Amino acid sequence: MFPVARAAQSLVARRIQHTAVRQAHRKHEPTFHDKYGTTALLGGAAVFLSVWGYVLTQLKIEWGFSPVGRVTPREWRE
């Protein structure tokens, strides 16, 4: 191996080891996502499913069907 490449490789390895040691000694403080991430995700999924469940079952929307032949005009009032 060339001396320059060997020096670069050892420098990179030393930097990685230094970073790993520094992060290992630091206390991990929970973030918002650590505390509430799963709860927020499940809550959002529940709201999403309940809203779309209501839309698809209660609003009587006929998806993709043509109204031709189904809609009849009302009698005109005079």
Side-chain angles (χ1 to χ4, degrees):
M1 204 183 261
F2 297 112
V4 175
R6 193 176 328 150
Q9 184 182 13
S10 67
L11 182 65
V12 169
R14 201 174 315 137
R15 186 176 297 160
I16 291 172
Q17 287 174 347
H18 178 69
T19 303
V21 167
R22 187 169 22 110
Q23 289 178 353
H25 290 304
R26 190 182 337 161
K27 282 190 174 180
H28 177 70
E29 298 176 4
T31 62
F32 175 83
H33 297 288
D34 292 333
K35 288 181 182 179
Y36 309 110
T38 306
T39 306
L41 181 67
L42 293 176
V47 170
F48 177 85
L49 290 174
S50 62
V51 167
W52 276 106
Y54 174 79
V55 167
L56 294 175
T57 58
Q58 300 297 319
L59 291 184
K60 309 241 190 272
I61 298 173
E62 293 187 14
W63 298 97
F65 296 112
S66 173
V68 175
R70 296 182 183 203
V71 177
T72 56
R74 296 182 191 162
E75 293 295 323
W76 190 254
R77 291 187 187 178
E78 293 194 27

